[in-house]
Each structure stands twice: as C-alpha cells, then as structure tokens.
C-alpha cells in the first residue's frame, strides 16, 4: 500500500499541477524534418521527391504563418493542444464509441487468489468494489501519491476523471460531465449504479460517511441479483450508448422529452462513482490465455454497460472481472494504476475480507426505471442490432508469450519496449510483405494537462532491419547491426516524443489552425503519403505498451485493414492482445500473434549468437 500513499501528508495528489511546465510547441523545421523521415519507408523515389517539395513549400509559406499563429495560441494557453485533442480525437467523432473507441480488458486477479470459480462472483465483486472505493477515497482526500518520472512530477489531472465522470452525446459534438470533487473542493457524489439483466439500480457507497464494508456491499449486490432473477429482463436502455453518436444524442433527447424523470435517472447514472455490471457470462480464461475474458469485456452485452461511463467494472458469473471505459476523459494508464492497486491489495489479503461481518441498517438499492414508449423500444432494438453486427466482426486474441520476458531482453542490453515493437514490425512485414504504418502511444504527462503524442515505430531503420531478416544472403552480424540501429532509433524517437518534441500533434495543431482561420487545407495534409504513412488516424498498427504490471487492455483497430496491438511486459513473459476486423480478409489477429512469437525468438537468438 505504501507506494500508493503520498510519502508524507504534505505531498498531495494534485499539489504539483500549478507548477508543471506548459506543453511546448516544437520547432517547425524539426517537426517537418522528422515527418519526412517517417514517410520515407512508404514512398517510391518519385513520391518522396514530390512530398519533399510539398514540405519545403509548406515550410517557407503557409506553414510558417500557421506556426506563428500556433505560438500565439500557446502564449495564452498552458496546454495549446488540450481542447483540440479532446474535440478532434473524441468528442466530434461520430462513430459508435463503445466498440470503436473505448478501451477495456481483463482483470489479472485470476492469476493468483481468484481463479475462475462458480458461485463466487458477488462475494468477489463486493471485495473488489471495496478496494476500488478505497482508491476513490485516496484521490478524494488527495492522499494518492503524485506519480513521477524520476524526480519530475507527472500531470495527475486525468485521475479526477476516473470516478463520477460520463460523456454525454450531442448531435454534433459530445461533452464530458465530471462531477468529481476532492474533499477540500466540496461534496462529491458517492452513489454506485449496478446494472443487471437490462435493469438499473443505485445505492450509496457510504453509510454515515463511512465506506460500506464488503459484507454490506455484498448484501446490496445480492439484493439486485435476486430481484433480477425473479423478474423480467429490463428494457436495456443502456444499449443506446453503443449507437452512432448523433443517433444516440437524438434518442436521448427524445427519452427526456417523454418524461422529465428520465433526465433525473440519466443524471444519476452520469454522476455515479462508477458502474458495476453483473454479467451472466462465464468467459473462462487462464494466465496464458485471456482471449475469452478480453473479448467479452470489449464486445459483451450492451444492455449492462453504460458505454459513455468512465469506468464500468464487469463482474462475470465465474468470478472473473473485466472493464470497459470511455477513452475521452483519460488514458489507459489511469485505469492501469487503479487495477494494479487492486491487484496488489488482493494479493496481500489473499482476496479475502478479514474485517467485521456486521451489516449496518441502510436503505436497499433503488431501481431506476426509465419511462419508455414504442419509439424508444425501436431505438434500443436498432442500437442492439448494429452493436451485435459490429461485435461479431471484431476478432480478439490475448495470449501470454512465456518463453522469456523483460529480464532476458535487458540481459542483452536492449530496451524491452523497442524489442517488442521491432518484433511487431517484423511480424507485420512477414505477413503483409510491406511496412506497417504504426502508432505507439508516447506519454506527455511531464507537461501541464499533457496526455499523449504519437511515436511512429515504422522507421526506415526498422524497415531496413526487416528486409535484412528476410534476406538469406544477409549474415548474422549485419542483421544484428541493423537491429541495434533500429532499436536505438526507436528509443530516441520515444524519448523525444515524451519530451514534447513529437511532431504528429504539432502537425495536427497546424492543420486545425488552418481550419479555424478559414485557410484551404494545406497540400501537406492532402498529399497521398500523409495518409499512407498513418497521418490523419490511418495507422494500420495501433499499439501501446500498457506497462510492466499485471494489467492489460485492448482497443479495436484504428482502420478497417489494421490491427490493435497492446502488450504488457513482465520479467518472465510478454502478454499481448491483438484485435482485427474479421470482415477484412487481409488481416488475422491469430496469424499476427504467431508471427510475432517467431520474431521474438529470432531476435533473442540473434542477440545471443552475436554475443558469442
């Protein structure tokens, strides 16, 4: 527990916020030079020359003007990107977010004290809920230790968005409603919402100002479960959150228009701490194969998940757990921090509650019943239909590669993340015979309200290495030299991106300034190589190192012909979740995983034989 608590009562969760440096604007010359390097692997000589000319013209002309305007914007905003990123990446996007944008995944508790076991779901859910409420309390009281990179404080603002937060759909643009308050700021909502068989229930997580104990939470959850088992399925209003955004916004407006009480219920759901989904499914999984659990967390029953909620904790009936979260208010590392905390607490207590079994008198959960008519039922039916069609099309595999992990890679003096990314590049190159434009998340939290930038791992160095690996005439030393060059380039680009010297968000800023000021779209952004190299959200490999803990997640691919590729690296293993769309016949997640495993073996062998 000590590593989660602030070192002293003086170091509060959000105390460094005001002293964090502003998000810098990189130099125009530097960003355009890096951009040219990034498009090189995807271009013929002729195409590259054309793009070079476009970039030169941009740099000397309209680009210079736009960059100057961006610098002016940065003078008046501590984070010049924040609102733009939220709008462009999330709030203005109209595709259904529950399947296409949300992230979700399996809880790792099955690896130790909570293997899949019938009849344990509610008891375990009450314990995991209690630990989650302890984490909320740490943030609420500002006792959660501020995270740091070395000695530098990282931005903690996203931790305000984990609880009591919900996206609300708009016809043209969504909004984020955040009801969270620290103890010093004032009253914070303390109720939970439980969803079961298409129905909604709510109860307060506090009694006389104290967090309910696991036996008390169990009493509330058991009441909901028994009540639902003895009655009909609910209307499944939650399925509406899985709709295309404008359709959901219109359906929501209609829902409110037929009965003002519906608005009250929506507010209750939006403001609750988080959602507990009681799911009847049994997605059997093991430490080596998390596929069923990951798939069910991401593509499960839409009538018991509120797709816009910042955290849905899913309790499956075999005693395993998952989650699905709206991506707009925060990035995955916030949920990873919570789940890693819970995992450590469960390990320390063997997953058991060792306190009092006493249950104080308190109100039973209250059912939240929407007024619905034929039109609402028709909207729900349409939402379910489109959701299940998409859900059936999403392929997810989530396996552990157990031959080796971080310790073996570090022994060879290689960076584990660069190692995994190169293995992914080689796997894609083998399978598709072309370089794979790739997005890797780079964290920019050392800056005020920083979230992420893009690091592009498909460098010319990586492609040269892939070609060397496929060339029978190339000897071991040449292959090793190419691998080391590619790994070094990867680590350099990642360090620069984390230091505010990435170029993708800078280019986005220039594009948006042009749009806001009524300029025609500059040629740089309409050049075919811009999209071909991944620009404008066209990366065929959407990847992220979820960390070095036990917590993993998954997201759908960024493009139809692409893959989602997420991984966590442990001392002795690498656990990977890969997603792809079945309707794209060129991609297959399982084949990519097999190629990836072979690449890892080859790379370690290469690093070993070269040391002899």
């Amino acid at each position: 527990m000590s590593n989660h608590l602030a070192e002293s009562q003086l170091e509060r969760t959000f105390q460094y916020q005001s002293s964090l440096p502003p998000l810098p604007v990189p130099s125009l010359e530097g960003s355009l030079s890096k951009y040219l390097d990034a498009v090189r692997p995807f271009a013929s000589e002729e195409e590259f020359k054309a793009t070079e000319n476009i970039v030169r013209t941009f740099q000397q002309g309209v680009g210079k003007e736009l960059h100057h305007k961006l610098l002016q914007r940065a003078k008046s905003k501590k984070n010049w990107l924040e609102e733009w990123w939220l709008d462009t990446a999330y709030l203005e996007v109209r595709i259904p977010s529950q399947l296409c944008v949300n992230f979700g995944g399996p809880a790792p508790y099955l690896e130790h004290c909570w293997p899949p076991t019938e009849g344990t779901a509610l008891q375990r859910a009450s314990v995991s809920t209690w630990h989650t409420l302890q984490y909320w309390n740490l943030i609420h009281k500002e006792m959660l230790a501020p995270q740091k990179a070395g000695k530098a404080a990282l931005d903690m603002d996203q931790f305000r968005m984990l609880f009591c937060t919900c996206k609300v759909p708009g016809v043209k643009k969504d909004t984020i409603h955040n009801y969270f308050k620290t103890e010093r700021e004032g009253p914070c909502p303390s109720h939970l919402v439980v969803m079961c068989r298409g129905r909604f229930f709510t109860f307060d997580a506090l009694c006389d100002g104290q967090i309910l104990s696991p036996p008390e939470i169990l009493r509330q959850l058991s009441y909901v479960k028994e009540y639902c088992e003895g009655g009909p399925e609910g209307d499944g209003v939650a399925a509406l959150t899985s709709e295309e955004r404008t359709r959901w916004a219109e359906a929501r407006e209609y829902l409110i228009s037929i009965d003002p009480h519906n608005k009250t219920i929506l507010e209750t759901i939006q403001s609750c701490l988080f959602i507990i989904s009681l799911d009847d499914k049994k997605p059997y999984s093991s430490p080596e194969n998390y596929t069923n659990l990951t798939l069910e967390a991401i593509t499960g029953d839409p009538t018991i998940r509120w797709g816009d909620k910042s955290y849905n904790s899913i309790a499956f009936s075999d005693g395993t757990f998952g989650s699905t979260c709206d991506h707009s208010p925060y990035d995955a590392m916030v949920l990873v921090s919570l789940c890693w905390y819970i995992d450590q607490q469960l390990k320390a207590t063997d997953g058991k509650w060792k306190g009092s079994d006493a249950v104080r008198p308190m109100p039973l959960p209250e059912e939240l019943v929407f007024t619905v008519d034929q039109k609402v039922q028709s909207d729900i039916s349409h939402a379910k239909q489109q959701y299940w069609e998409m859900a059936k099309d999403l392929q997810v595999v989530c396996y552990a590669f157990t031959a080796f992990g971080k310790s073996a890679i570090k022994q060879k003096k290689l960076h584990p993340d660069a190692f995994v990314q190169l293995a992914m590049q080689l796997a894609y190159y083998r399978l598709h015979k072309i370089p794979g434009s790739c997005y890797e998340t780079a964290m920019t939290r050392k800056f005020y309200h920083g979230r992420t930038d893009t690091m592009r791992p498909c460098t010319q160095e990586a492609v040269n290495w892939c070609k060397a690996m496929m060339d029978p005439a190339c000897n071991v030393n040449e292959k090793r030299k190419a691998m080391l060059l590619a790994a070094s380039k990867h680590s350099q680009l990642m360090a620069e991106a984390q230091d505010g010297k990435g170029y993708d968000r800078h280019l986005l800023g220039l594009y948006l300034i042009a749009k806001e000021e009524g300029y025609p779209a500059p040629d740089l952004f309409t050049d075919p190589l811009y999209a071909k190299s991944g620009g404008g959200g066209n990366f065929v490999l959407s990847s992220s190192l979820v960390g070095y803990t036990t917590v993993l997640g998954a997201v759908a691919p960024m493009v139809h012909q692409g893959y989602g590729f997420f991984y966590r690296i442990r001392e002795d293993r690498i656990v990977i979740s890969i997603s792809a769309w079945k309707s794209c016949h060129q991609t297959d997640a399982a084949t990519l995983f097999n190629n990836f495993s072979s690449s890892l073996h080859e790379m370690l062998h290469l690093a070993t034989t070269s040391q002899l």
Side-chain angles (χ1 to χ4, degrees), residues 126 130 210-218 353 356-360:
S126 66
W130 184 80
Q210 283 186 313
I211 291 172
L212 302 193
S213 69
E216 290 170 335
I217 297 167
L218 177 60
W353 167 247
S356 164
D357 285 338
V359 175
R360 292 168 286 179

Side-chain angles (χ1 to χ4, degrees), residues 498-533:
Q498 290 175 337
D499 209 25
K501 298 187 185 85
Y503 53 92
D504 269 87
R505 301 290 186 269
H506 185 195
L507 292 180
L508 174 69
L510 298 172
Y511 172 79
L512 291 172
I513 281 268
K515 197 172 155 188
E516 275 187 10
E517 300 273 336
Y519 285 71
D523 291 348
L524 178 80
F525 303 104
T526 55
D527 174 23
L529 262 189
Y530 180 71
K532 194 177 173 185
S533 62

Side-chain angles (χ1 to χ4, degrees), residues 176-194:
I176 293 173
H177 290 216
N178 176 241
Y179 305 81
F180 173 82
K181 282 194 168 82
T182 64
E183 196 173 46
R184 289 197 290 180
E185 290 166 345
C188 177
S190 59
H191 62 287
L192 292 162
V193 166
V194 184

Side-chain angles (χ1 to χ4, degrees), residues 137-263:
N137 198 40
L138 286 177
I139 303 173
H140 178 57
K141 293 191 167 159
E142 298 178 73
M143 288 167 62
L144 184 72
Q147 294 180 343
K148 296 179 180 179
K151 290 194 172 175
L154 296 176
D155 187 276
M156 294 294 286
D157 187 62
Q158 292 178 54
F159 283 79
R160 301 180 68 93
M161 303 289 176
L162 177 57
F163 298 106
C164 309
T165 302
C166 197
K167 186 166 66 182
V168 173
V171 173
K172 289 191 174 160
K173 177 180 148 183
D174 300 343
T175 49
I176 293 173
H177 290 216
N178 176 241
Y179 305 81
F180 173 82
K181 282 194 168 82
T182 64
E183 196 173 46
R184 289 197 290 180
E185 290 166 345
C188 177
S190 59
H191 62 287
L192 292 162
V193 166
V194 184
M195 295 170 69
C196 181
R197 301 198 175 180
R199 298 166 78 163
F200 300 85
F201 297 80
T202 187
F203 64 90
D204 203 319
L206 302 180
C207 178
D208 300 329
Q210 283 186 313
I211 291 172
L212 302 193
S213 69
E216 290 170 335
I217 297 167
L218 177 60
R219 202 281 298 263
Q220 305 293 60
L221 296 181
S222 301
Y223 172 82
V224 169
K225 188 77 175 156
E226 283 160 26
Y227 196 88
C228 290
E229 281 174 351
E233 290 265 323
D235 292 307
V237 172
L240 294 173
T241 67
S242 70
E243 254 296 8
E244 186 272 340
R245 302 305 298 170
T246 299
R247 273 190 82 108
W248 163 214
E250 288 164 350
R252 184 179 181 277
E253 281 174 10
Y254 180 77
L255 193 61
I256 292 167
S257 75
I258 58 172
D259 186 345
H261 182 61
N262 285 345
K263 185 161 197 214

Side-chain angles (χ1 to χ4, degrees), residues 260-518:
H261 182 61
N262 285 345
K263 185 161 197 214
T264 309
I265 297 174
L266 287 167
E267 278 284 331
T268 303
I269 295 167
Q270 286 159 203
S271 60
C272 76
L273 286 163
F274 59 98
I275 303 274
I276 301 170
S277 303
L278 301 181
D279 196 315
D280 292 330
K281 284 279 169 50
K282 298 169 188 173
Y284 182 82
S285 291
S286 70
E288 286 69 47
N289 185 350
Y290 274 102
T291 299
N292 293 339
L293 191 48
T294 309
L295 187 64
E296 203 56 50
I298 297 173
T299 65
D301 183 354
T303 69
I304 51 167
R305 290 149 173 71
W306 197 263
D308 292 345
K309 195 69 187 158
S310 59
Y311 180 39
N312 291 262
S313 174
I314 309 162
F316 294 105
S317 68
D318 63 356
T320 58
F321 292 82
S323 63
T324 180
C325 308
D326 173 38
H327 204 331
S328 54
Y330 65 85
D331 298 312
M333 56 80 207
V334 175
L335 192 75
V336 169
S337 301
L338 164 67
C339 295
W340 176 232
Y341 166 84
I342 296 170
D343 197 40
Q344 287 180 299
Q345 300 303 309
L346 292 175
K347 267 187 188 157
T349 55
D350 201 29
K352 295 184 174 73
W353 167 247
K354 293 173 182 172
S356 164
D357 285 338
V359 175
R360 292 168 286 179
M362 63 187 74
L364 286 166
E366 174 199 347
E367 185 166 15
L368 305 170
V369 184
F370 282 98
T371 300
V372 301
D373 62 11
Q374 218 167 347
K375 184 190 177 317
V376 175
Q377 286 171 333
S378 165
D379 286 341
I380 293 168
S381 174
H382 182 277
K384 282 188 196 170
Q385 189 186 343
Q386 67 82 30
Y387 175 83
W388 286 121
E389 270 174 33
M390 282 186 84
K392 280 192 205 108
D393 192 32
L394 190 65
Q395 178 195 19
V396 176
V397 299
C398 186
Y399 298 129
F401 171 86
T402 56
F404 59 85
K406 184 169 94 173
S407 56
I409 299 168
K410 290 195 84 161
Q411 231 175 357
K412 306 298 174 199
K413 312 256 185 309
L414 288 161
H415 192 291
D417 181 56
F419 193 93
V420 169
Q421 283 283 340
L422 285 178
M424 178 181 65
Q425 285 293 322
L426 182 56
Y428 185 91
Y429 196 87
R430 277 235 163 87
L431 189 55
H432 297 282
K433 310 292 183 277
I434 53 169
S437 63
C438 182
Y439 170 106
E440 183 183 0
T441 310
M443 178 190 76
T444 54
R445 283 175 60 213
K446 61 169 75 168
F447 303 105
Y448 179 78
H449 286 191
R451 286 188 63 167
T452 61
D453 205 329
T454 302
M455 186 263 145
R456 298 196 189 192
C458 188
T459 59
Q460 189 59 54
E461 289 83 350
V463 174
N464 292 346
W465 172 69
C466 288
K467 286 177 177 170
M469 293 298 283
M470 307 267 290
D471 182 357
C474 209
N475 69 39
V476 165
N477 283 334
E478 286 169 331
K479 288 177 181 176
R480 175 176 159 78
K481 193 176 169 190
M483 177 171 78
L484 293 177
L485 273 173
S488 167
K489 179 73 171 186
H490 184 280
S491 297
Q492 177 202 332
L493 287 175
M494 179 55 85
E496 287 171 356
Q498 290 175 337
D499 209 25
K501 298 187 185 85
Y503 53 92
D504 269 87
R505 301 290 186 269
H506 185 195
L507 292 180
L508 174 69
L510 298 172
Y511 172 79
L512 291 172
I513 281 268
K515 197 172 155 188
E516 275 187 10
E517 300 273 336

